Amino acid sequence: MMKNSLKQIIKFRMLDLILPCWRMSGRKLTYLSEDLHELHIEIPFKRINRGPHGYIYGGSLFSATDAIPAIQYFLILG
């Protein structure tokens, strides 16, 4: 069980590095539980995710969080 969980965490981390929508949103994956049921994301306020009114752009929020549930379900259920 532990070995399978470690493989899933490695897959999730690799997807974290590969997917351009996650890289360009400026977000950071700060915590990933061993069973992949919980993760924490930080989206720092930077120039690349600032909207026209000076707030964080909604598209950055969406792209940082949109694919996560689908990938979690895929890795957890197999």
Side-chain angles (χ1 to χ4, degrees):
M1 180 79 175
M2 179 73 168
K3 192 174 185 181
N4 190 21
S5 175
L6 184 61
K7 286 181 182 180
Q8 291 174 341
I9 289 174
I10 291 171
K11 284 181 188 178
F12 200 91
R13 291 284 183 179
M14 291 301 292
L15 286 172
D16 185 35
L17 296 172
I18 293 171
L19 292 175
C21 62
W22 284 356
R23 283 185 313 194
M24 295 307 291
S25 67
R27 67 116 178 107
K28 295 177 186 175
L29 183 63
T30 58
Y31 173 75
L32 182 61
S33 68
E34 192 173 304
D35 60 354
L36 299 176
H37 284 91
E38 181 181 357
L39 58 98
H40 299 190
I41 295 175
E42 274 185 25
I43 304 176
F45 187 65
K46 294 182 178 180
R47 186 177 59 85
I48 66 170
N49 61 9
R50 186 179 321 160
H53 300 291
Y55 300 116
I56 194 164
Y57 179 62
S60 292
L61 294 173
F62 183 75
S63 67
T65 59
D66 180 45
I68 290 174
I71 293 172
Q72 278 180 312
Y73 293 147
F74 175 73
L75 291 176
I76 290 170
L77 297 176

